[in-house]
Amino acid sequence: MIHLPNLPILEALPALREALTVRRTVLLEAPPGAGKSTVVPLALLDAAWRRGGRILMLEPRRIAARSVAERMASLIGEQTGQTVGFRTRLETRIGARTQIEVVTEGILTRMLQHDPALEGTACVVFDEFHERNLQGDLGLALCLESQRHLRDSLRLLIMSATLDGEALLRLL
């Protein structure tokens, strides 16, 4: 069992776990610093719906991807490349045991081009979704298409601190 730091997001975890059990696409809004980026992926490691599939977490910037992966790995007493890894244009630290992979937008797009069904992936987490851009929107559109036509078991989690949640829910 992973000991998660005492951050505000802990209060939302039971409802989030339940939502991801019954829904394929979930939107999580929480204030900055609540623990969305570092606590949520770790809290989902024991989810039954994962069935051994990895969690891909999209970070909009390379430095953020590396930093978030390093922080999650440190929380569980590991180095990156073990349970938690990352992949950016310039650097990759993943291994055979990697269950959470933090990737940048370009990497996600390439992964979807190579494998549109994202086989072996249980959930794609779109972190900092309010930092919208063309590549992030393309990644979400491709994941939604994969979910609709290729993998109805694929979960999508969209996280943001500052987002018009009602409008996004209507879109999804």
Side-chain angles (χ1 to χ4, degrees), residues 38-129:
T38 56
V39 173
V40 168
L42 292 172
L44 298 178
L45 282 174
D46 63 354
W49 51 260
R50 272 191 59 230
R51 294 186 182 107
R54 74 177 169 244
I55 297 169
L56 283 181
M57 186 162 86
L58 181 70
E59 281 293 331
R61 294 171 312 283
R62 288 190 305 255
I63 292 172
R66 184 180 336 113
S67 296
V68 166
E70 288 172 351
R71 176 66 179 144
M72 280 192 281
S74 74
L75 287 173
I76 58 175
E78 295 181 359
Q79 298 291 314
T80 53
Q82 296 175 337
T83 302
V84 180
F86 67 92
R87 206 184 308 198
T88 68
R89 182 170 52 98
L90 301 174
E91 190 175 8
T92 298
R93 289 198 190 147
I94 58 171
R97 294 187 323 124
T98 302
Q99 297 177 56
I100 298 172
E101 190 173 333
V102 184
V103 301
T104 54
E105 294 159 334
I107 298 294
L108 177 63
T109 301
R110 276 187 256 146
M111 293 172 84
L112 284 158
Q113 287 173 329
H114 177 72
D115 177 13
L118 288 178
E119 294 296 337
T121 299
C123 182
V124 180
V125 180
F126 290 82
D127 194 21
E128 304 291 350
F129 193 73

Side-chain angles (χ1 to χ4, degrees), residues 9 12-30 36 40 44 49 122-129 140 144 147 153-160 163 165 168-170 172:
I9 200 68
L13 291 180
L16 175 63
R17 286 183 179 127
E18 176 64 25
L20 283 166
T21 298
V22 297
R23 293 186 184 96
R24 298 179 313 153
T25 303
V26 174
L27 175 62
L28 174 64
E29 292 180 83
K36 294 180 302 294
V40 168
L44 298 178
W49 51 260
C123 182
V124 180
V125 180
F126 290 82
D127 194 21
E128 304 291 350
F129 193 73
L140 178 59
L144 286 167
Q147 190 184 59
S153 64
L154 181 65
R155 285 350 190 242
L156 302 178
L157 173 58
I158 300 162
M159 302 191 306
S160 180
L163 188 64
L168 183 57
L169 284 174
R170 283 191 303 273
L172 295 172

